[in-house]
Amino acid sequence: MRSYLLLVVSALAAIAAWAALIFTGTVNGWTRTALAEPGDVSGFLQAATEMIDTDHHGNLGFAMLENGEIAGEYYVSVGAPIDRDTSFQVASLSKWISAVGIMALVEDGTIDLDTPISSYLHSWQLPQGEFDNDGVTVRRLLSHTAGLTDGLGYGGFAPGQDIQPLTESLTHASDASPGADGRVRVGLEPGTQFEYSGGGYSLLQLLIEDVTGEPFETYMQRTVFQPLGMENSTYIDEVSDIGNRAALYDVDGTEAIRYRFAGLAPTALNSSTADMVRFLQSNLANTAGGMARPHILQPQTLALMRQPEASQFGLEIWGLGTILYAPNGQGDFIAGHDGSNDPAINSAVRYDPASGDGIVVLESGNRSLATRIAGEWVFWQSHELDVLSFTGIAENMILTILAGALVIVLITIIFAASLAWRRRRRRRRAAAA
């Protein structure tokens, strides 16, 4: 019996070691090759443009920063030509820029990160439920840890449709993406786990409007876009608002419908490659410790936004409005945000605060190309798989772990059967003697 127990313990230890090996190898990209050699900027630019030429089916704007300055740009479209000032719908990338607007109110003392959001709202309140709504704070809404279970995802409203009022959308979004609950309510204990919530950012939009007395768009123009010179950025997507804007495309290259949104803060931003470069530069410090360009937030606030607030799979993944893609080896993170929406909108903006390097990819016509290019950039920069790339291959990682565990179990069973056979054989020999 002792031998069998030892076999079981050994098998469990082998499975744990195998799982740890595969997890570590996946996170660190042991089987992955970077697009270019470390420091080879021109090599990465060439490889990235080759990916774009091969896989784009609509339009795409691409810019890369080295030490805070543009190192290369590339623009391509299957329709009307685009340039650095062409505005794209950027989907959930909107959340990061909206978070900066929120943090500006934190900096000036208008709101507090850890005060219940209900204290600031007068036009709508979270419905009562099983959990205490006072646990829903600005900090937790920014980091998707407030316990909201709306699952949003907004599909938007087609031309000719009335846009649902924001308070009605918070009660139950009529344009919820497929599979989303669509009701902004507390369905989990606030502060206990990460649960992505577009509705949480709609609630932050309402917070801005209630505490400032301004429409959300007006506040963001005054507080973020105008100070940074982001002249081609807006949350209100109307024909008269933007002249130079990218057409939307589906994955087959056909032009797609342009939707509008009630939830502006989580998903409705239109912005250009040049404007997103300006936004990135506003997040960077220069060598003297000041800001490299006009800025909205102080360096300590920007650093606070990169402090981990949420984790998954044991990885720190989210700060205050920012995705933490990978450690940068300097005690900080490569940070930023991605966005995606139907039919084929994808955006990715990421930066390393230590080096001043960054990347901007805005596109429509491919559901994942921007995220893939930005993921390759993170790996080229850090030699680590970023969290979105990791999530994309997590299923294969789990299957590899399970396959290895099955092999270990089968080997253990065979070894145990062999051990039992040898023992029976010894007993028969002893009995015959």
Side-chain angles (χ1 to χ4, degrees):
M1 179 61 70
R2 187 173 180 180
S3 299
Y4 293 120
L5 180 60
L6 182 60
L7 271 177
V8 171
V9 171
S10 298
L12 292 175
I15 290 171
W18 170 253
L21 177 67
I22 297 302
F23 180 84
T24 302
T26 301
V27 169
N28 290 284
W30 287 350
T31 61
R32 192 183 185 107
T33 302
L35 290 187
E37 293 297 319
D40 183 3
V41 176
S42 62
F44 184 88
L45 286 168
Q46 180 178 346
T49 55
E50 289 174 357
M51 285 180 64
I52 293 167
D53 288 339
T54 300
D55 292 339
H56 87 88
H57 303 292
N59 45 42
L60 184 146
F62 165 76
M64 203 167 89
L65 274 65
E66 289 292 307
N67 195 27
E69 301 297 332
I70 294 177
E73 299 176 80
Y74 191 59
Y75 302 95
V76 63
S77 177
V78 299
I82 65 169
D83 57 31
R84 63 196 323 267
D85 294 318
T86 303
S87 289
F88 288 74
Q89 283 193 354
V90 300
S92 287
L93 174 56
S94 308
K95 293 180 176 67
W96 184 20
I97 291 78
S98 301
V100 168
I102 286 288
M103 294 304 291
L105 293 174
V106 173
E107 273 197 350
D108 68 19
T110 300
I111 61 175
D112 180 82
L113 282 172
D114 299 310
T115 296
I117 192 172
S118 58
S119 302
Y120 300 114
L121 300 178
H122 58 76
S123 55
W124 188 85
Q125 291 289 340
L126 285 162
Q128 295 300 314
E130 178 183 355
F131 303 101
D132 185 2
N133 288 351
D134 283 349
V136 179
T137 63
V138 174
R139 182 188 302 274
R140 288 171 175 168
L141 288 170
L142 287 170
S143 59
H144 301 282
T145 59
L148 303 185
T149 52
D150 52 272
L152 294 165
Y154 295 95
F157 299 90
Q161 282 186 300
D162 291 335
I163 299 175
Q164 188 179 23
L166 180 59
T167 52
E168 289 184 13
S169 179
L170 287 165
T171 300
H172 197 167
S174 61
D175 63 331
S177 294
D181 179 89
R183 295 170 293 173
V184 180
R185 57 177 181 162
V186 183
L188 299 167
E189 181 67 40
T192 59
Q193 69 182 68
F194 174 84
E195 186 73 20
Y196 192 83
S197 167
Y201 274 73
S202 289
L203 199 56
L204 290 171
Q205 174 185 333
L206 187 67
L207 166 65
I208 286 176
E209 295 184 342
D210 278 0
V211 301
T212 67
E214 295 179 282
F216 177 74
E217 166 77 1
T218 302
Y219 171 80
M220 292 299 294
Q221 287 288 346
R222 175 176 61 81
T223 305
V224 178
F225 300 149
Q226 291 173 8
L228 296 182
M230 297 172 65
E231 297 180 352
N232 296 297
S233 295
T234 179
Y235 286 89
I236 306 297
D237 187 7
E238 298 289 355
V239 173
S240 60
D241 289 329
I242 310 174
N244 183 9
R245 65 178 185 178
L248 300 182
Y249 291 95
D250 208 334
V251 293
D252 60 0
T254 59
E255 195 162 343
I257 295 174
R258 178 177 296 273
Y259 290 89
R260 298 166 299 148
F261 302 90
L264 304 179
T267 197
L269 179 64
N270 287 260
S271 191
S272 67
T273 308
D275 278 4
M276 292 314 306
V277 166
R278 293 183 183 98
F279 179 78
L280 260 192
Q281 290 170 330
S282 76
N283 283 266
L284 300 174
N286 64 24
T287 54
M291 302 306 295
R293 290 288 190 276
H295 63 280
I296 308 304
L297 302 175
Q298 296 301 313
Q300 60 269 26
T301 304
L302 294 170
L304 180 63
M305 294 179 73
R306 297 191 302 271
Q307 290 296 306
E309 295 284 345
S311 61
Q312 278 190 331
F313 304 112
L315 303 174
E316 294 170 321
I317 63 168
W318 223 279
L320 298 177
T322 60
I323 300 176
L324 309 177
Y325 290 98
N328 69 352
Q330 303 292 323
D332 208 321
F333 291 88
I334 294 174
H337 214 292
D338 283 38
S340 63
N341 210 342
D342 292 331
I345 295 170
N346 189 211
S347 60
V349 180
R350 308 180 187 182
Y351 76 107
D352 183 348
S355 65
D357 300 342
I359 188 169
V360 175
V361 192
L362 310 179
E363 67 153 329
S364 73
N366 189 306
R367 293 191 177 99
S368 62
L369 181 56
T371 293
R372 286 193 285 121
I373 292 171
E376 293 288 357
W377 180 84
V378 171
F379 187 74
W380 174 66
Q381 287 273 318
S382 67
H383 307 293
E384 293 195 32
L385 207 63
D386 74 64
V387 294
L388 292 187
S389 297
F390 175 81
T391 302
I393 63 173
E395 183 177 347
N396 288 336
M397 178 194 71
I398 292 170
L399 290 175
T400 301
I401 290 172
L402 291 176
L406 179 60
V407 170
I408 292 170
V409 169
L410 290 174
I411 291 173
T412 302
I413 292 172
I414 293 170
F415 193 82
S418 176
L419 179 62
W421 179 79
R422 288 197 299 269
R423 285 183 172 179
R424 288 194 300 269
R425 187 178 181 186
R426 285 198 297 269
R427 285 198 296 268
R428 286 197 297 267
R429 287 178 176 177

